Amino acid sequence: MSKKTRPRRSGPSGTSSGRPVGTPTAGSARAAAGDTLGRGEADAIVQRVLSSLWGAIAAGDPLRAELETSTCMAIPHVAGQRDPAETETFVSTVLVNEAIRRQTPDGAAMLRTLMSLGTPAIRKTASRALGELTGTGIYPPEWVTEIGKVAPGQAWRRYDIFGDDETVAATFSYGETEHAVVMQVDLTGMPITTAVGVASNAASLIEAVNRVEDDEFDRAEQIDLAEARRRMEEPLARTEQDPDPGLSADTVAYLPIARTRIRRLPVVAGYVPPDFTAADRAAAVDDFMKSPLAADAAAADEESTRFWAEVLTGYSSRISGEPPTQVGPRKLVHILLGHVVTGFTLSPAQRRHLEPAVTAWVRWSAEQRNLDEAQRSYLIERLPSAFSRFDEAYDDPDSATLRGYASDLAASDVDVSWLTRNVGRRMFALPVPPPGGERRDVSDPADRRALVAAEFGTCTPPAGMTSEQFVDAASGVVEELWRTDDLNVTYQAASSMMLDGVSRHDIIHQLAGKPTATVGTSMIP
C-alpha cells in the first residue's frame, strides 16, 4: 500500500509472525475480556496467562520466559489500569506471591525473571522474595542465569524520506537462537516511541523492515548497533515518562524486554550528534527570503512571510541533527495545528498570510532537499487539508488556554526545545485547567492567583498561617516556578522533591509552608 493511501502504522511490521507459537498476547487477553474487566474475568485471564508462564519456565526457554513474564506484567494495562503503581502492586500481590506459594525452583525462576525485567520497585520486591526461597534451600534452575545476557547482532532502519517516522530493528541471540526487537518512532514532534515488537523469528522481521517496494516514499538501510541505541533509547524513555502515551497492550507487554535489550547495545563514547545552530536556521530563512519562490509572498507581506519562514525553520531546533529544511506531511500538520495554534498568538495579518507563505516555504524546502516531482507533489497536496482546519484549531478555547503558557516566550525564531522545557515547567507550576470549567488566562498573574486559590484555598494552612496567607505563599511559589531562568532555586528545590516521589500539590504545599519562604523571591531553601 502506498503512503498516499496507507493509514499510519499501528505497530512495527513483522512482529506477529515472529511470536513464539502458543504465546498469549496482552491483545488477545483484551479481546477475550473486553475493555472493562469484572473480577471473575480478570481472574480467569490471570490464571490463563500464568499457566502459559509456568509452561515457558518449565521448558527452560529464556526468551519465551521473558515474553510470558512481560505479558503477565501487562495485565493491569489490559484491565484499564494505566498507573505504573498498579503494575507494581499487581506483580507484588499476584506474581510474587504465586512464586513464593509454589516453593519450587520454577517459582524461583519466575522471581529471577522479574528481577531482570521489572522496575526498580519490582526488582526489589522480587529480590526479597527470592532471598526467602533461597534461604529455605530452593534455588532457580541453572538456565535462569542466562536471562537477559543476549549478544547483540545487527541493526536496520526503515525510514520515511520526509522525516516523519522511522522503524529501528536490532537482532539479539541466546546462543544459536536469534530474536529481534523492533521499534516504531514518531519524529513529528520530540521523537517518541509509538510501538514496540519482539519477534522470535529475527530473519522474518528484518525481511519485513527491508521490504520497501510497496511504499514509494520509504527507504531502508543497515546501521551500526550504537546508532540503533541512539535512535531507540531516548524515544523509549520519553514514551515511558508520558502518563498516558496511548500504547497498545501488546506494546506495553514488550516494553520490559525492549528496555533490557537496548541496554545491551554499545554506546560510542564521546559521540556528538550533528547540530544545526540558530545561525544555520537564520541563514536558511535569509536564503528563502531571497528565493524566487518567496518573491510573490514577500511582495504581498514581507514581515508575515518571514514570520512563517522562521516558525517552520525554527521547528528543527527541537532535536539535534535535523536540518532546518526538514519537513514532512505529518510534521507540517503537527507544526501548524499543534505547535503554532497552542504556542503563538498571531496577528490578523499573520493569519491571512498563512497559506501563501507556508506554501512558498514548503516548495522551497523541497527544492533544497532535491525531492523529485512525485515527492514534491505529495508534500504540497497535503497542505490544503491543514489550511482548512487551521482557523478552527486556532480558535478552539483549549488552544487559547495553552497559548497562555507560551505567550511571552514564543518568538517566531524561538528555540523549540527551550520553549518545550519551559512550557512544561509552567504546566508543572500550574496544570492546564480542566475542560468545562471557568476559562482562565494563565498568562495573567491575577488569573494564575485565582487558580492557585481554587486549589489551595481549602487546604489546612501550616501552623502560624491563615488561609489567606497560605494562598499568598502558594501563589508566590507558583510565580517562582513560572519564571524561566536556569538558576531558579525554587524550581531546583521542587525538582529535588519530585525525584523523591513527592506529588506536585504536596511540593507546592510544603514549599509554601516553609517559615523562611519569601513570596516573590528565590529564598525558599
Side-chain angles (χ1 to χ4, degrees), residues 348-388:
Q350 288 164 348
R351 292 185 67 171
R352 285 195 305 269
H353 207 59
L354 162 68
E355 186 168 344
V358 171
T359 301
W361 187 90
V362 171
R363 291 184 181 279
W364 174 81
S365 72
E367 286 188 356
Q368 303 308 300
R369 289 180 286 151
N370 297 316
L371 298 185
D372 63 30
E373 188 58 37
Q375 294 160 358
R376 294 183 196 184
S377 296
Y378 180 76
L379 191 56
I380 297 300
E381 287 168 5
R382 309 278 77 75
L383 286 173
S385 175
F387 293 151
S388 68

Short mmCIF file of all heavy atoms in Angstrom, two decimals, residues 348-388:
data_model
loop_
_atom_site.label_atom_id
_atom_site.label_comp_id
_atom_site.label_asym_id
_atom_site.label_seq_id
_atom_site.Cartn_x
_atom_site.Cartn_y
_atom_site.Cartn_z
N PRO A 348 -3.75 39.44 12.89
CA PRO A 348 -4.64 39.18 11.75
C PRO A 348 -3.86 39.03 10.44
O PRO A 348 -4.19 38.19 9.60
CB PRO A 348 -5.55 40.41 11.72
CG PRO A 348 -5.59 40.87 13.16
CD PRO A 348 -4.21 40.61 13.68
N ALA A 349 -2.80 39.82 10.26
CA ALA A 349 -2.02 39.73 9.03
C ALA A 349 -1.31 38.38 8.92
O ALA A 349 -1.25 37.78 7.84
CB ALA A 349 -0.99 40.87 8.99
N GLN A 350 -0.78 37.91 10.03
CA GLN A 350 -0.10 36.60 10.01
C GLN A 350 -1.08 35.48 9.69
O GLN A 350 -0.74 34.55 8.95
CB GLN A 350 0.58 36.36 11.36
CG GLN A 350 1.80 37.23 11.58
CD GLN A 350 2.25 37.28 13.02
OE1 GLN A 350 1.53 36.84 13.93
NE2 GLN A 350 3.43 37.84 13.27
N ARG A 351 -2.29 35.57 10.19
CA ARG A 351 -3.29 34.54 9.89
C ARG A 351 -3.69 34.60 8.42
O ARG A 351 -3.83 33.57 7.77
CB ARG A 351 -4.51 34.69 10.79
CG ARG A 351 -4.23 34.39 12.26
CD ARG A 351 -5.47 34.43 13.11
NE ARG A 351 -6.42 33.37 12.80
CZ ARG A 351 -7.50 33.09 13.53
NH1 ARG A 351 -7.75 33.80 14.63
NH2 ARG A 351 -8.32 32.12 13.19
N ARG A 352 -3.88 35.79 7.89
CA ARG A 352 -4.27 35.92 6.49
C ARG A 352 -3.18 35.40 5.56
O ARG A 352 -3.46 34.86 4.49
CB ARG A 352 -4.56 37.39 6.15
CG ARG A 352 -5.87 37.94 6.69
CD ARG A 352 -6.22 39.25 6.01
NE ARG A 352 -5.15 40.23 6.13
CZ ARG A 352 -5.05 41.12 7.13
NH1 ARG A 352 -5.97 41.12 8.09
NH2 ARG A 352 -4.06 41.98 7.17
N HIS A 353 -1.94 35.57 5.96
CA HIS A 353 -0.81 35.25 5.08
C HIS A 353 -0.31 33.82 5.26
O HIS A 353 0.69 33.43 4.66
CB HIS A 353 0.33 36.24 5.34
CG HIS A 353 1.22 36.45 4.15
ND1 HIS A 353 0.76 36.92 2.94
CD2 HIS A 353 2.55 36.23 3.97
CE1 HIS A 353 1.75 37.00 2.08
NE2 HIS A 353 2.85 36.58 2.68
N LEU A 354 -0.98 33.04 6.09
CA LEU A 354 -0.56 31.66 6.36
C LEU A 354 -0.37 30.86 5.07
O LEU A 354 0.70 30.28 4.83
CB LEU A 354 -1.60 30.98 7.26
CG LEU A 354 -1.57 29.44 7.32
CD1 LEU A 354 -0.31 28.97 8.02
CD2 LEU A 354 -2.81 28.92 8.03
N GLU A 355 -1.40 30.82 4.23
CA GLU A 355 -1.37 29.91 3.08
C GLU A 355 -0.28 30.25 2.07
O GLU A 355 0.52 29.36 1.72
CB GLU A 355 -2.74 29.87 2.41
CG GLU A 355 -2.83 28.84 1.30
CD GLU A 355 -4.26 28.62 0.83
OE1 GLU A 355 -5.21 29.02 1.56
OE2 GLU A 355 -4.42 28.03 -0.26
N PRO A 356 -0.17 31.49 1.58
CA PRO A 356 0.87 31.75 0.58
C PRO A 356 2.29 31.62 1.14
O PRO A 356 3.18 31.11 0.45
CB PRO A 356 0.60 33.19 0.13
CG PRO A 356 -0.24 33.79 1.21
CD PRO A 356 -1.04 32.67 1.79
N ALA A 357 2.50 32.03 2.39
CA ALA A 357 3.85 31.98 2.96
C ALA A 357 4.29 30.54 3.21
O ALA A 357 5.41 30.15 2.87
CB ALA A 357 3.90 32.78 4.27
N VAL A 358 3.42 29.74 3.79
CA VAL A 358 3.77 28.35 4.09
C VAL A 358 3.94 27.55 2.80
O VAL A 358 4.86 26.74 2.67
CB VAL A 358 2.72 27.70 5.02
CG1 VAL A 358 2.97 26.20 5.15
CG2 VAL A 358 2.76 28.36 6.39
N THR A 359 3.06 27.77 1.83
CA THR A 359 3.18 27.05 0.55
C THR A 359 4.51 27.37 -0.12
O THR A 359 5.20 26.47 -0.62
CB THR A 359 2.02 27.43 -0.38
OG1 THR A 359 0.78 27.10 0.25
CG2 THR A 359 2.13 26.67 -1.71
N ALA A 360 4.89 28.65 -0.13
CA ALA A 360 6.17 29.04 -0.74
C ALA A 360 7.34 28.39 -0.01
O ALA A 360 8.28 27.89 -0.64
CB ALA A 360 6.31 30.56 -0.73
N TRP A 361 7.29 28.37 1.32
CA TRP A 361 8.40 27.79 2.09
C TRP A 361 8.50 26.28 1.85
O TRP A 361 9.60 25.74 1.71
CB TRP A 361 8.23 28.08 3.58
CG TRP A 361 9.43 27.64 4.38
CD1 TRP A 361 10.53 28.39 4.68
CD2 TRP A 361 9.66 26.35 4.94
NE1 TRP A 361 11.43 27.64 5.40
CE2 TRP A 361 10.93 26.38 5.57
CE3 TRP A 361 8.94 25.16 4.97
CZ2 TRP A 361 11.47 25.28 6.23
CZ3 TRP A 361 9.47 24.06 5.61
CH2 TRP A 361 10.72 24.12 6.24
N VAL A 362 7.37 25.59 1.80
CA VAL A 362 7.39 24.15 1.59
C VAL A 362 7.96 23.82 0.20
O VAL A 362 8.76 22.89 0.05
CB VAL A 362 5.99 23.55 1.77
CG1 VAL A 362 5.95 22.09 1.33
CG2 VAL A 362 5.54 23.67 3.22
N ARG A 363 7.56 24.58 -0.81
CA ARG A 363 8.12 24.36 -2.14
C ARG A 363 9.63 24.59 -2.14
O ARG A 363 10.40 23.82 -2.73
CB ARG A 363 7.45 25.29 -3.16
CG ARG A 363 5.99 24.96 -3.46
CD ARG A 363 5.44 25.86 -4.55
NE ARG A 363 4.04 25.59 -4.83
CZ ARG A 363 3.58 24.62 -5.60
NH1 ARG A 363 4.46 23.81 -6.21
NH2 ARG A 363 2.29 24.46 -5.79
N TRP A 364 10.07 25.65 -1.47
CA TRP A 364 11.50 25.96 -1.41
C TRP A 364 12.26 24.86 -0.66
O TRP A 364 13.32 24.42 -1.11
CB TRP A 364 11.69 27.32 -0.72
CG TRP A 364 13.13 27.66 -0.46
CD1 TRP A 364 14.02 28.19 -1.35
CD2 TRP A 364 13.83 27.48 0.77
NE1 TRP A 364 15.24 28.36 -0.75
CE2 TRP A 364 15.15 27.93 0.57
CE3 TRP A 364 13.48 27.01 2.03
CZ2 TRP A 364 16.12 27.91 1.56
CZ3 TRP A 364 14.43 26.98 3.03
CH2 TRP A 364 15.74 27.42 2.81
N SER A 365 11.73 24.41 0.46
CA SER A 365 12.42 23.38 1.24
C SER A 365 12.53 22.07 0.45
O SER A 365 13.53 21.36 0.55
CB SER A 365 11.71 23.13 2.57
OG SER A 365 10.50 22.43 2.39
N ALA A 366 11.50 21.76 -0.35
CA ALA A 366 11.54 20.55 -1.17
C ALA A 366 12.66 20.65 -2.21
O ALA A 366 13.35 19.65 -2.49
CB ALA A 366 10.20 20.34 -1.87
N GLU A 367 12.87 21.84 -2.75
CA GLU A 367 13.97 22.05 -3.69
C GLU A 367 15.31 21.87 -3.00
O GLU A 367 16.23 21.26 -3.55
CB GLU A 367 13.89 23.44 -4.32
CG GLU A 367 12.81 23.61 -5.36
CD GLU A 367 12.93 24.96 -6.06
OE1 GLU A 367 13.81 25.77 -5.67
OE2 GLU A 367 12.14 25.20 -6.99
N GLN A 368 15.44 22.39 -1.78
CA GLN A 368 16.71 22.29 -1.06
C GLN A 368 17.08 20.83 -0.77
O GLN A 368 18.25 20.49 -0.69
CB GLN A 368 16.63 23.06 0.27
CG GLN A 368 16.27 24.52 0.15
CD GLN A 368 17.17 25.25 -0.84
OE1 GLN A 368 18.37 25.32 -0.66
NE2 GLN A 368 16.56 25.81 -1.88
N ARG A 369 16.09 19.98 -0.63
CA ARG A 369 16.35 18.57 -0.32
C ARG A 369 16.36 17.69 -1.57
O ARG A 369 16.44 16.47 -1.47
CB ARG A 369 15.29 18.05 0.66
CG ARG A 369 15.46 18.64 2.06
CD ARG A 369 14.40 18.11 3.00
NE ARG A 369 13.10 18.71 2.74
CZ ARG A 369 11.92 18.13 2.96
NH1 ARG A 369 11.89 16.89 3.41
NH2 ARG A 369 10.80 18.76 2.71
N ASN A 370 16.23 18.33 -2.74
CA ASN A 370 16.28 17.60 -4.01
C ASN A 370 15.21 16.53 -4.11
O ASN A 370 15.46 15.44 -4.65
CB ASN A 370 17.67 16.99 -4.23
CG ASN A 370 18.76 18.03 -4.35
OD1 ASN A 370 18.60 19.04 -5.03
ND2 ASN A 370 19.87 17.81 -3.65
N LEU A 371 14.02 16.80 -3.60
CA LEU A 371 12.91 15.87 -3.74
C LEU A 371 12.50 15.83 -5.21
O LEU A 371 12.52 16.85 -5.91
CB LEU A 371 11.73 16.29 -2.88
CG LEU A 371 11.95 16.34 -1.36
CD1 LEU A 371 10.64 16.66 -0.65
CD2 LEU A 371 12.53 15.04 -0.84
N ASP A 372 12.11 14.65 -5.68
CA ASP A 372 11.68 14.57 -7.07
C ASP A 372 10.24 15.07 -7.21
O ASP A 372 9.59 15.44 -6.22
CB ASP A 372 11.84 13.14 -7.61
CG ASP A 372 10.96 12.12 -6.90
OD1 ASP A 372 9.86 12.48 -6.41
OD2 ASP A 372 11.37 10.94 -6.82
N GLU A 373 9.74 15.07 -8.43
CA GLU A 373 8.44 15.67 -8.70
C GLU A 373 7.32 14.98 -7.93
O GLU A 373 6.42 15.64 -7.38
CB GLU A 373 8.15 15.65 -10.20
CG GLU A 373 6.90 16.43 -10.60
CD GLU A 373 6.96 17.91 -10.19
OE1 GLU A 373 8.04 18.50 -10.25
OE2 GLU A 373 5.90 18.44 -9.76
N ALA A 374 7.34 13.65 -7.88
CA ALA A 374 6.30 12.92 -7.16
C ALA A 374 6.34 13.23 -5.67
O ALA A 374 5.29 13.39 -5.04
CB ALA A 374 6.47 11.42 -7.40
N GLN A 375 7.52 13.31 -5.14
CA GLN A 375 7.66 13.60 -3.71
C GLN A 375 7.20 15.03 -3.40
O GLN A 375 6.51 15.27 -2.41
CB GLN A 375 9.11 13.40 -3.29
CG GLN A 375 9.56 11.95 -3.40
CD GLN A 375 11.07 11.79 -3.45
OE1 GLN A 375 11.82 12.77 -3.44
NE2 GLN A 375 11.52 10.54 -3.53
N ARG A 376 7.56 15.97 -4.25
CA ARG A 376 7.14 17.36 -4.04
C ARG A 376 5.62 17.47 -4.13
O ARG A 376 4.99 18.15 -3.33
CB ARG A 376 7.78 18.28 -5.08
CG ARG A 376 9.28 18.40 -4.97
CD ARG A 376 9.81 19.38 -6.00
NE ARG A 376 11.25 19.25 -6.18
CZ ARG A 376 11.97 20.03 -6.96
NH1 ARG A 376 11.39 21.00 -7.66
NH2 ARG A 376 13.27 19.85 -7.06
N SER A 377 5.07 16.81 -5.13
CA SER A 377 3.62 16.88 -5.32
C SER A 377 2.88 16.32 -4.11
O SER A 377 1.90 16.90 -3.64
CB SER A 377 3.21 16.12 -6.58
OG SER A 377 3.77 16.71 -7.73
N TYR A 378 3.37 15.18 -3.63
CA TYR A 378 2.72 14.57 -2.47
C TYR A 378 2.75 15.52 -1.27
O TYR A 378 1.76 15.68 -0.56
CB TYR A 378 3.39 13.25 -2.11
CG TYR A 378 2.76 12.58 -0.92
CD1 TYR A 378 1.54 11.93 -1.04
CD2 TYR A 378 3.37 12.64 0.33
CE1 TYR A 378 0.95 11.34 0.06
CE2 TYR A 378 2.77 12.05 1.43
CZ TYR A 378 1.56 11.40 1.29
OH TYR A 378 0.96 10.82 2.38
N LEU A 379 3.88 16.17 -1.06
CA LEU A 379 4.02 17.09 0.07
C LEU A 379 3.09 18.29 -0.08
O LEU A 379 2.37 18.66 0.87
CB LEU A 379 5.48 17.55 0.14
CG LEU A 379 5.95 18.31 1.38
CD1 LEU A 379 5.69 17.51 2.64
CD2 LEU A 379 7.45 18.63 1.25
N ILE A 380 3.06 18.88 -1.25
CA ILE A 380 2.22 20.06 -1.48
C ILE A 380 0.73 19.71 -1.40
O ILE A 380 -0.09 20.50 -0.90
CB ILE A 380 2.55 20.71 -2.85
CG1 ILE A 380 3.99 21.21 -2.87
CG2 ILE A 380 1.59 21.86 -3.15
CD1 ILE A 380 4.32 22.25 -1.84
N GLU A 381 0.37 18.52 -1.88
CA GLU A 381 -1.04 18.12 -1.87
C GLU A 381 -1.60 17.97 -0.46
O GLU A 381 -2.82 17.97 -0.28
CB GLU A 381 -1.19 16.78 -2.62
CG GLU A 381 -1.04 16.91 -4.13
CD GLU A 381 -0.90 15.55 -4.80
OE1 GLU A 381 -1.02 14.52 -4.08
OE2 GLU A 381 -0.66 15.52 -6.02
N ARG A 382 -0.75 17.84 0.52
CA ARG A 382 -1.22 17.68 1.91
C ARG A 382 -1.56 19.02 2.56
O ARG A 382 -2.22 19.07 3.58
CB ARG A 382 -0.15 16.98 2.77
CG ARG A 382 0.39 15.69 2.18
CD ARG A 382 -0.50 14.48 2.45
NE ARG A 382 -1.69 14.37 1.63
CZ ARG A 382 -1.69 13.99 0.36
NH1 ARG A 382 -0.57 13.70 -0.25
NH2 ARG A 382 -2.81 13.88 -0.29
N LEU A 383 -1.09 20.12 1.96
CA LEU A 383 -1.26 21.43 2.60
C LEU A 383 -2.71 21.91 2.70
O LEU A 383 -3.12 22.41 3.75
CB LEU A 383 -0.42 22.48 1.86
CG LEU A 383 1.09 22.40 2.10
CD1 LEU A 383 1.82 23.38 1.20
CD2 LEU A 383 1.41 22.68 3.56
N PRO A 384 -3.53 21.81 1.65
CA PRO A 384 -4.90 22.34 1.76
C PRO A 384 -5.68 21.78 2.94
O PRO A 384 -6.46 22.50 3.57
CB PRO A 384 -5.53 21.97 0.41
CG PRO A 384 -4.38 21.90 -0.53
CD PRO A 384 -3.24 21.34 0.28
N SER A 385 -5.49 20.51 3.26
CA SER A 385 -6.21 19.92 4.39
C SER A 385 -5.83 20.60 5.69
O SER A 385 -6.69 20.91 6.53
CB SER A 385 -5.91 18.42 4.47
OG SER A 385 -6.50 17.85 5.62
N ALA A 386 -4.52 20.86 5.88
CA ALA A 386 -4.08 21.54 7.10
C ALA A 386 -4.58 22.97 7.14
O ALA A 386 -5.05 23.46 8.18
CB ALA A 386 -2.56 21.51 7.18
N PHE A 387 -4.52 23.66 6.00
CA PHE A 387 -5.00 25.05 5.96
C PHE A 387 -6.49 25.12 6.31
O PHE A 387 -6.93 26.03 7.03
CB PHE A 387 -4.78 25.65 4.57
CG PHE A 387 -3.33 25.85 4.20
CD1 PHE A 387 -2.93 25.79 2.87
CD2 PHE A 387 -2.37 26.09 5.17
CE1 PHE A 387 -1.60 25.98 2.52
CE2 PHE A 387 -1.03 26.28 4.83
CZ PHE A 387 -0.66 26.22 3.50
N SER A 388 -7.26 24.17 5.81
CA SER A 388 -8.72 24.22 6.02
C SER A 388 -9.10 24.02 7.48
O SER A 388 -10.18 24.44 7.90
CB SER A 388 -9.41 23.15 5.15
OG SER A 388 -9.08 21.84 5.61
#
